[in-house]
Each structure stands twice: as C-alpha cells, then as structure tokens.
Amino acid sequence: MQLLKEKILLEGKVLSDEILKVDSFLNHQLDPVLMKEMGAEFAGRFADQQITKVLTIESSGIAPAMMTALELGVPVVFARKKKSLTLTEKVYQAEVFSFTKQEMNMITVSKDYLSSNDRVLIIDDFLANGQAAKGLIQIVKQADADLAGLGIVIEKSFQEGGKKLRESGVRVESLAEVASLKNGQVTFLSRLCK
Ligand code: G4P
Ligand code: NA
Ligand code: NA
C-alpha cells in the first residue's frame, strides 16, 4: 500500500537492524485518515470471505482492526493480555512468547464473543516472529471458528513469522513488507521477488 509505505519512509525511525519505530501514526499517536484507508484496503482484500468477526490483540492492533471491521460491518474483538477480574471463566486462552521481553504471556478472549459460527479475520499492527498471530490462531481453533486469514499493517519479512504462517497454509495479507532495516534504512520487499 503506497500511502503507508510513504508514511513509513517519511516518519518511521529505524532503531536497530530489527526494530522500526512508528509511534507517530501506529503505536502511540494514531493517524485516523491513514487508519481508515488501511481498514478499507484489508476489507477489500477479504471482501469475498464472508467474515463475521475481526480479531486482534490489544493495544496497537485495535485501531486498524476497528477500521477494517467498520468497513466490513462486523464486530471486532480484541484479545486481552491481562486477564480482567470480570473474565473469571468461560474464556479461550493461549500462550504468547514475547521475544522483546523474553517471557511467556497469556492472552484471553471471552467465549461470549467467538464461536463455531464465526469466520474470522485476524488483524495486527506488526508481524515479526509471529508469536502473537500464533496465539490468536490458537484461540480461533479453540472456538472451532473458521480462519479466513491475517491482515498485517507492517510485516518484517526478514523475520520468520510470515514465512512460517504461509507455509502452514494461512493466508497473510500485509500492507507493507519490510525486507531490511540495515544501515538505518527501510527497504521494502519488491512485489516481483515476493
Ligand atoms: P511477534 O508477535 O511477531 O512474535 O512479535 P514480538 O513478540 O517480537 O513483538 C512484541 C511486540 O513488539 C508486539 O507489540 C509487536 O507488535 C511489537 N513489534 C515487533 N516488532 C516491532 C517493530 O519493529 N516495531 C514496532 N513498533 N513494534 C514491533 P506489543 O508488545 O503487543 O505491543 P502493543 O500492541 O501494545 O503495541
Ligand atoms: Na500488536
Ligand atoms: Na505493537
């Protein structure tokens, strides 16, 4: 998605060979106009998929998921990272390993909001090693729901999450695919060698 790539080049900060900071429009301040465009793009790509629910994980997945769900006319559910006191039972849970924090975290979704009648589109802001995606997919499986695929705002193609997911048969649609962050520079994956 050209608009997003331009925004990344203009405002993204390369923190290291592995980390891209996009706090000005995705992870801290949010750009609603860009967010709306991204929601429309995801909705268009999955338009023929009879999606009944968009699933994401707090916090940065919520904005793009919300815009996608608005466009598709379906609800959005976000997995919680901290089990709330009112979510004592009737939940789906999955473990997500965080590479950045080197720890295992539990994510939780109430059984009230996901069922075997659902066809689910998972949306998230970043795809790196795919741990969050893996946890969300586990939750879709626990609900015995159908998975239509994954919509990712920024995929870091030099990390293995996207490759692994596609190899396992999951449809992954990314709006920007970053091939490298070497030398402080963002290089996108060209469509030809995709
Ligand atoms: P993984 O799920 O693909 O395996 O990713 P990983 O554990 O490495 O990422 C942990 C957190 O860091 C996630 O956010 C993820 O979205 C984010 N992240 C990963 N790589 C980058 C990057 O290059 N830039 C930025 N800005 N974020 C990255 P989170 O902890 O769940 O936080 P949030 O959703 O509340 O923002
Ligand atoms: Na995220
Ligand atoms: Na994030």
Side-chain angles (χ1 to χ4, degrees):
M1 189 184 176
Q2 199 52 36
L3 192 64
L4 171 64
K5 289 184 189 175
E6 282 165 12
K7 189 81 164 174
I8 291 169
L9 292 176
L10 213 63
E11 298 184 12
K13 299 204 163 41
V14 178
L15 292 194
S16 69
D17 284 0
E18 303 211 321
I19 300 292
L20 174 67
K21 190 168 168 152
V22 285
D23 274 8
S24 71
F25 63 92
L26 188 59
N27 292 130
H28 194 13
Q29 174 171 260
L30 301 174
D31 180 337
V33 174
L34 176 62
M35 215 55 91
K36 187 162 179 269
E37 296 280 330
M38 297 195 297
E41 180 69 28
F42 283 132
R45 292 191 193 191
F46 287 93
D48 60 350
Q49 288 295 305
Q50 281 96 42
I51 307 297
T52 65
K53 204 149 284 188
V54 174
L55 177 66
T56 188
I57 180 166
E58 65 177 344
S59 56
S60 298
I62 295 176
M66 178 74 186
M67 289 312 200
T68 307
L70 181 65
E71 196 72 32
L72 290 170
V74 301
V76 48
V77 180
F78 62 92
R80 288 185 165 158
K81 289 177 182 166
K82 281 220 176 90
K83 197 170 162 181
S84 97
L85 291 174
T86 51
L87 278 177
T88 45
E89 51 198 39
K90 299 199 308 172
V91 292
Y92 307 113
Q93 284 192 309
E95 283 187 324
V96 172
F97 182 74
S98 166
F99 284 94
T100 22
K101 293 167 199 155
Q102 290 291 308
E103 62 182 24
M104 201 61 107
N105 293 300
M106 196 69 94
I107 63 167
T108 305
V109 170
S110 165
K111 288 188 176 173
D112 287 342
Y113 305 121
L114 204 58
S115 80
S116 57
N117 297 321
D118 282 313
R119 185 154 169 82
V120 179
L121 169 58
I122 294 173
I123 298 283
D124 210 356
D125 57 336
F126 269 91
L127 178 59
N129 296 294
Q131 293 300 306
K134 220 169 101 184
L136 291 170
I137 290 169
Q138 267 180 264
I139 282 175
V140 172
K141 283 189 180 146
Q142 284 173 35
D144 206 18
D146 286 335
L147 177 66
L150 251 78
I152 299 293
V153 176
I154 303 174
E155 175 176 349
K156 294 188 291 179
S157 306
F158 56 88
Q159 290 177 297
E160 64 183 1
K163 184 169 175 277
K164 273 193 180 167
L165 288 163
R166 290 182 182 99
E167 276 172 5
S168 73
V170 176
R171 178 178 171 194
V172 182
E173 293 283 340
S174 302
L175 301 186
E177 289 168 273
V178 174
S180 165
L181 294 171
K182 293 232 167 79
N183 306 314
Q185 227 167 325
V186 181
T187 311
F188 294 107
L189 198 70
S190 102
R191 288 247 161 242
L192 290 171
C193 63
K194 193 175 155 186

